[in-house]
Amino acid sequence: MPSPRSTLLSAGLLLVLLSGCGSSPHKAPVEERRPTQPVARAPVTPPKPAPVAEPVAVVTPAPETPKPLPGVESAGKPGFYTVKPGDKLIRIALDNGQNWRDLARWNAIENPNVIEVGQVLRVVPPGVDPNAVATNAVAFPKPEPRPLAGKPTAAAPASSAVAAAAVVSVPAAQAPSAASMPVPPPASAPAREGDEDMAWAWPAAGSVFAGFEEGKHKGLSIAGKAGDAVLAAADGRVVYAGSGLRGYGNLVIVKHNTTYLTAYAHNQTLLVKEDQAVRRGQKIAEMGSSDADRVQLHFEIRRQGKPIDPARLLPAR
C-alpha cells in the first residue's frame, strides 16, 4: 500500500500537468499587414536608339562665271590689240604709233599701270576706219638715191629728184610749204594730207655705229659722249618722257602727226615734259647710257607704229 507521502507527490505532479494542458498555448506575435494601394509610377519608356546620322549632301556652289575682259568682243579685229603677258600701255602705244594717254582715254583705263592679259584695247581713234590705217601702215615708197639738194644728177630720173626733194632738210626760213613741195603719190591710200610732207633733221651729231635691221634693231645707234645734245628730229609734241619702258632707259617719244613718231633712248637727262610742243632741232635731252652698255642715242622713226629705217628719211650728211 503506497504511503501517503508518495500519494501526495503523485497528486501534485498530476495537478501540475493538468494545469499546463488546460492553459492556452503561447502564440507568437502576428504582424497584421493591410493591403496597400499600389504606388503610381511613371511609365518606364525604353530608351530610344541613338539616331543614325544621315549622310549630309555637301553642295558645292557653282563657280562664278568669270567676268568677261574688256573689249573681248573686238578681239582679232583691225584696229584692236589683245594684251599679252609683259605688255605695258606705253609699249602698246609706241608699237601702234599712238599717245598712251589717248589709248587710256579710248579704252576707259583709269590706271595705265593696270591692264589685264587678254584685255582687248582700241589702238586707233574712234571713228577712224582701221582697215585704212592698216593699209597706210605698210605703205612706204621705195627710197631713191638722194642727190644733193637742188643738184640732181644727170643720170637720176625726174622722179628721183622729186623724191629727194621730199626728204632733204633745208633751213626753216627757206623750207617750202607743204602745198608747194612736190611729193610723189603714195602706193596706197594716204594717211592724212600733209602727214608725209615733213622736214627731218639728225637727232645727234655723232656717227652711226649700228644701223637699222628689220626685226632685230629698230633704229640707229648714234655714238657720242655723255651730255651731248639730243635734238628733236622734226616738229611735234612730246607724248612720253620717262624711264618706264624696259630696254630704253630714259626715253623721250615725240609724236609728229597721225603717221609718224620718233623715240630717243638711253639719255642721261630729259629736258622736256609730256604734252610739250617741240621744234625740229630743239634740244630735248642729253646723251647718256641709261639701260645701255655705252653712251649712245638709240633713235627710232615709226610710221603708224611700225619701225622704219631712219636713214630713208634723214638728210644725207
Side-chain angles (χ1 to χ4, degrees):
M1 181 174 190
S3 63
R5 182 176 178 81
S6 60
T7 303
L8 181 62
L9 289 173
S10 300
L13 180 58
L14 180 61
L15 181 61
V16 171
L17 292 173
L18 291 177
S19 62
C21 294
S23 62
S24 58
H26 177 74
K27 297 180 179 180
V30 177
E31 181 180 354
E32 182 180 0
R33 296 187 178 182
R34 298 180 180 179
T36 58
Q37 295 293 333
V39 179
R41 295 182 181 179
V44 178
T45 304
K48 292 183 179 181
V52 178
E54 296 182 1
V56 179
V58 179
V59 180
T60 304
E64 296 183 2
T65 303
K67 185 179 179 181
L69 293 170
V72 291
E73 67 280 359
S74 299
K77 295 180 180 179
F80 292 87
Y81 174 81
T82 302
V83 177
K84 299 177 179 61
D87 277 344
K88 287 189 175 183
L89 195 64
I90 298 169
R91 168 77 70 176
I92 297 171
L94 178 63
D95 289 345
N96 288 276
Q98 303 293 352
N99 184 339
W100 69 269
R101 293 181 183 274
D102 289 337
L103 261 61
R105 186 175 70 255
W106 298 339
N107 295 281
I109 297 174
E110 296 182 0
N111 185 347
N113 295 317
V114 180
I115 54 176
E116 301 180 70
V117 174
Q119 180 178 353
V120 179
L121 302 178
R122 171 181 285 277
V123 292
V124 297
V128 171
D129 181 4
N131 293 301
V133 173
T135 301
N136 293 332
V138 297
F140 194 84
K142 184 177 180 180
E144 302 284 350
R146 288 177 292 190
L148 294 176
K151 297 181 181 180
T153 62
S159 59
S160 298
V162 171
V167 297
V168 174
S169 175
V170 297
Q174 302 176 13
S177 64
S180 62
M181 181 180 294
V183 179
S188 60
R192 193 171 69 178
E193 184 177 358
D195 276 5
E196 301 288 351
D197 307 337
M198 295 182 59
W200 296 91
W202 280 83
S207 60
V208 174
F209 67 88
F212 177 85
E213 289 186 67
E214 187 73 39
K216 295 182 179 180
H217 194 244
K218 298 179 181 179
L220 304 178
S221 293
I222 303 174
K225 62 181 184 298
D228 281 355
V230 174
L231 312 175
D235 296 350
R237 186 171 295 275
V238 178
V239 295
Y240 181 74
S243 58
L245 199 56
R246 186 176 180 180
Y248 282 79
N250 294 323
L251 171 68
V252 175
I253 301 175
V254 177
K255 188 171 178 65
H256 304 286
N257 49 36
T258 60
T259 302
Y260 291 109
L261 58 75
T262 49
Y264 312 76
H266 306 309
N267 304 289
Q268 74 172 10
T269 306
L270 304 182
L271 304 178
V272 291
K273 298 179 180 179
E274 289 185 18
D275 205 37
Q276 178 179 337
V278 295
R279 304 291 293 177
R280 183 185 61 179
Q282 177 179 338
K283 185 177 179 180
I284 59 175
E286 293 179 350
M287 196 180 297
S289 58
S290 58
D291 214 356
D293 56 3
R294 59 172 290 181
V295 174
Q296 62 177 291
L297 170 64
H298 174 76
F299 174 67
E300 296 180 11
I301 296 180
R302 296 201 176 208
R303 187 178 189 276
Q304 299 288 1
K306 180 182 179 181
I308 61 172
D309 186 356
R312 302 169 75 174
L313 295 179
L314 295 174
R317 66 176 187 177

